[in-house]
Amino acid sequence: MDIGSRSTHIERENPRGSQGDAGTDGTGNSAGQLQSSSQTGNRVRIYPEKINRVRAYKPKTRTGCRTCKIRRVKCDEAKPSCQRCIKFGVSCDGYRVLDPSPAKKALLPSHNTPLHILPMTALFKDQNEYQYWLYFRDEVAHDLSGNVPNKCWDYVILQTCNNSPILRDLTVAIAALRKSRHNFTPPDTHHQYAVRKYGQALRSIQEMVSSRSDFETIRTTLIASILIFSFETMHGNPEQAIEHAKASLKMMRKKLDTSTRKYSQLRRFSPLSSSIPGLEDEVLEVFVRLDQTIMSSILDDPYRKRSSFLDMTFIDEHLHMPSSFSDLTVARGYLEHFQFKAMPYLSHLTDAFLYGDKFACQVPESEYEILNAQLQQWYRSFKPLFDRACQPGDKDFIGAAALRCLALGTDISIQRVCLRIGSRPEEVFEVEAREIVDLTRRVVLDPRFKKSFGFDCGVVPSLFIVVMICRNREIREEAISVLKMAEGRIETVWDASKIAELGERKLKAEEQGQTVLAV
């Protein structure tokens, strides 16, 4: 096709060509352009065509001023103020200071709180209530859980607050009570708010239980009972807290028929475990621990038969313990598995300490050999983790030290039951008692140690065992002094202040020639 015929085609396809400007062919191309194209042999582009332009590569910079970043324009990075902002007529907000060591920057809060668990603000009556709940989530739940992570507090209870106004009221009440006890101002306002929300929650529970009996009601009631136990203990009513816990354990046994289930701390998800459909294993674990702790508490009648309220059957299986524990949660699981098996004997120790060996329950020699072998294996498996935790500044030190003390206390308690009282030399248990006192003193002096209520046992019951078992008076007095240093610390049912007072009574009674304390 020549240029003449091409021009005819242009006019037919573009009827506006006749209205083009002078000096053009109606397509916007000048006659000179067409001639030049014909001479070079290149096709003349008649229709507008999009040409993919390749942008020149320039590395992105993240050092521009804040104002230019918001405007999404290129910053000239002039100092102290960006000239582009000045020309635009706005004030330059300056430049962000970059962290020279981003690798050391913490990515998560120190408490590892699951921040994704955040109920909608619409669920709360006002902003004040919402702020209390946030305080419970970020601070109180972590302290209640203790130094070994526990998903019951860090996840389950927080998650259930989305659907249960009762549990929201209880968590808010605990948070307000905690603020009233920790020098937050004004304390009276926090305390009044806590008592009011707690009363509302109790009335709601009564209404729910009287009108419904489905499994969700049972589950909510059980979780609520954990929070009620916490509130009453923090409020200074430990006896009432324990009575409520006993009632909850009895209800759990009746409603869920726990006596027909086999329990293993190490095999929760196996067919032999006691998993209850619809009830989180983490919640069941808290109740099992609470049940065993109440059995061995010092707040009960020594003449009453000590037995489990849940009446669960613990699996007495061959213990395949790893050569080293991966974390504190696994280490605690194996130690508690051992303690639960030994609880028929350990539960009588507090009575034997205070009121004489007539309340003790002797361990058969064959059973002691098995328990001792398992505990020695636990020491070996725990050693690598414990050695790492004892390094300066390690975040797991308090939890690891508490577990070590709990194991030592369990160890000498089992030995105490198996030895006759008349055959004990004066220096027996001194090595273990000295280590417990030294470790607990380091824990109590650690700024991360919280002198508040929690479900994590370790420091207080271990020092109680030292005071009651060790014959070295100097070590026992040091144990009492550490308990006084930990004033305010309550580990489930073990109150540091009350144990210190009990220890002093014990030493004074011995000075007066008494072998047991008065009932």
Side-chain angles (χ1 to χ4, degrees):
M1 178 184 296
D2 59 13
I3 296 179
S5 62
R6 184 177 299 169
S7 300
T8 303
H9 175 70
I10 294 171
E11 292 176 356
R12 184 165 55 249
E13 292 292 326
N14 188 0
R16 297 183 59 187
S18 59
Q19 300 175 6
D21 295 336
T24 68
D25 62 353
T27 64
N29 293 322
S30 65
Q33 288 175 320
L34 291 175
Q35 183 177 2
S36 172
S37 298
S38 112
Q39 291 175 353
T40 58
N42 295 330
R43 184 175 70 86
V44 177
R45 292 183 175 88
I46 303 303
Y47 303 107
E49 296 183 12
K50 293 182 179 180
I51 302 175
N52 293 328
R53 293 177 297 173
V54 179
R55 179 175 297 185
Y57 171 76
K58 294 181 180 179
K60 284 187 176 182
T61 62
R62 304 183 187 275
T63 55
C65 71
R66 293 185 176 91
T67 307
C68 287
K69 283 180 178 292
I70 295 174
R71 294 180 58 214
R72 303 181 68 85
V73 298
K74 173 67 176 175
C75 179
D76 59 24
E77 301 184 26
K79 304 292 177 61
S81 298
C82 168
Q83 294 300 312
R84 186 155 193 166
C85 292
I86 295 175
K87 290 179 182 179
F88 188 68
V90 298
S91 60
C92 179
D93 290 334
Y95 301 87
R96 181 171 65 90
V97 179
L98 296 177
D99 188 352
S101 56
K104 298 181 180 180
K105 201 171 183 180
L107 299 179
L108 292 173
S110 59
H111 292 174
N112 292 328
T113 303
L115 298 180
H116 62 282
I117 302 177
L118 184 63
M120 297 174 58
T121 55
L123 297 176
F124 297 89
K125 295 180 178 63
D126 50 46
Q127 187 65 22
N128 192 34
E129 182 181 88
Y130 182 57
Q131 291 301 319
Y132 276 123
W133 191 88
L134 291 179
Y135 177 65
F136 178 90
R137 183 199 67 177
D138 295 338
E139 296 290 339
V140 182
H142 171 77
D143 294 341
L144 291 173
S145 175
N147 297 289
V148 180
N150 188 320
K151 286 187 177 180
C152 179
W153 295 101
D154 296 341
Y155 183 82
V156 175
I157 290 178
L158 300 181
Q159 189 69 35
T160 54
C161 288
N162 283 295
N163 303 318
S164 175
I166 293 175
L167 299 182
R168 284 201 299 272
D169 284 345
L170 287 172
T171 55
V172 167
I174 290 175
L177 182 62
R178 170 71 176 272
K179 283 197 172 186
S180 71
R181 297 299 178 92
H182 283 71
N183 298 323
F184 286 91
T185 54
D188 291 341
T189 302
H190 295 308
H191 184 267
Q192 294 171 4
Y193 188 91
V195 173
R196 184 170 68 252
K197 297 299 288 186
Y198 182 65
Q200 292 175 3
L202 293 182
R203 289 191 293 271
S204 298
I205 292 174
Q206 292 174 351
E207 294 173 1
M208 180 183 67
V209 172
S210 62
S211 61
R212 296 166 50 188
S213 59
D214 57 291
F215 185 84
E216 186 59 31
T217 299
I218 297 174
R219 174 179 175 270
T220 301
T221 304
L222 289 175
I223 296 177
S225 67
I226 298 174
L227 297 172
I228 292 172
F229 178 86
S230 303
F231 185 94
E232 292 290 353
T233 304
M234 294 170 64
H235 202 243
N237 303 316
E239 292 83 2
Q240 186 172 341
I242 290 179
E243 289 304 315
H244 179 85
K246 290 178 181 179
S248 300
L249 290 166
K250 292 177 182 177
M251 183 200 74
M252 189 175 180
R253 175 181 175 180
K254 180 180 179 181
K255 297 288 187 180
L256 303 181
D257 198 13
T258 54
S259 60
T260 64
R261 301 179 183 273
K262 297 179 181 293
Y263 184 84
S264 172
Q265 181 75 356
L266 308 176
R267 300 173 63 181
R268 294 189 208 159
F269 306 105
S270 72
L272 292 177
S273 72
S274 59
S275 295
I276 299 174
L279 183 68
E280 293 84 352
D281 290 313
E282 291 79 11
V283 176
L284 178 58
E285 178 184 330
V286 170
F287 275 102
V288 171
R289 186 178 299 127
L290 184 60
D291 180 40
Q292 301 295 308
T293 305
I294 291 176
M295 282 178 61
S296 60
S297 70
I298 61 174
L299 300 175
D300 223 332
D301 181 4
Y303 292 96
R304 182 188 65 83
K305 181 181 179 181
R306 292 180 178 261
S307 57
S308 169
F309 291 94
L310 284 180
D311 194 26
M312 301 188 76
T313 303
F314 293 93
I315 301 175
D316 188 11
E317 58 185 344
H318 183 65
L319 193 62
H320 296 282
M321 200 175 300
S323 58
S324 62
F325 299 128
S326 57
D327 53 46
L328 295 180
T329 302
V330 175
R332 183 177 67 178
Y334 276 93
L335 180 60
E336 287 189 337
H337 177 85
F338 169 84
Q339 290 175 321
F340 293 163
K341 289 176 59 179
M343 192 52 66
Y345 315 111
L346 295 176
S347 62
H348 297 272
L349 276 176
T350 52
D351 297 333
F353 294 158
L354 300 176
Y355 312 115
D357 278 0
K358 66 179 180 178
F359 296 103
C361 180
Q362 294 294 322
V363 180
E365 185 176 350
S366 59
E367 183 69 15
Y368 170 74
E369 292 177 355
I370 296 174
L371 292 174
N372 183 59
Q374 292 179 351
L375 189 54
Q376 296 307 314
Q377 177 59 49
W378 187 92
Y379 284 134
R380 291 190 292 270
S381 300
F382 186 63
K383 188 177 186 305
L385 183 62
F386 180 68
D387 290 343
R388 289 195 300 270
C390 287
Q391 298 298 319
D394 192 279
K395 63 181 180 63
D396 290 332
F397 167 70
I398 294 179
L403 281 181
R404 171 75 179 178
C405 291
L406 206 57
L408 290 168
T410 304
D411 190 358
I412 60 180
S413 296
I414 291 291
Q415 293 185 53
R416 164 65 175 80
V417 173
C418 294
L419 294 175
R420 294 181 180 178
I421 188 169
S423 61
R424 289 183 297 156
E426 287 293 322
E427 66 274 7
V428 72
F429 307 135
E430 282 191 9
V431 175
E432 295 90 343
R434 169 56 65 188
E435 183 177 356
I436 290 175
V437 171
D438 291 343
L439 271 178
T440 52
R441 182 185 291 107
R442 287 182 59 188
V443 168
V444 172
L445 293 176
D446 193 301
R448 297 168 295 180
F449 179 73
K450 297 296 183 66
K451 298 178 182 180
S452 57
F453 168 75
F455 271 82
D456 190 19
C457 290
V459 172
V460 182
S462 300
L463 290 170
F464 168 78
I465 292 172
V466 170
V467 173
M468 295 300 165
I469 291 184
C470 182
R471 296 295 91 200
N472 186 309
R473 186 180 180 87
E474 180 183 354
I475 295 178
R476 299 168 76 189
E477 290 176 345
E478 289 184 36
I480 294 173
S481 68
V482 175
L483 285 167
K484 291 181 177 180
M485 290 165 53
E487 181 181 0
R489 177 72 173 182
I490 304 175
E491 297 177 345
T492 311
V493 299
W494 300 92
D495 188 324
S497 298
K498 292 183 178 180
I499 299 299
E501 294 175 4
L502 186 63
E504 290 180 330
R505 285 179 52 204
K506 179 71 172 176
L507 294 184
K508 186 175 181 180
E510 290 177 358
E511 288 178 352
Q512 297 174 354
Q514 301 175 17
T515 57
V516 298
L517 291 178
V519 180

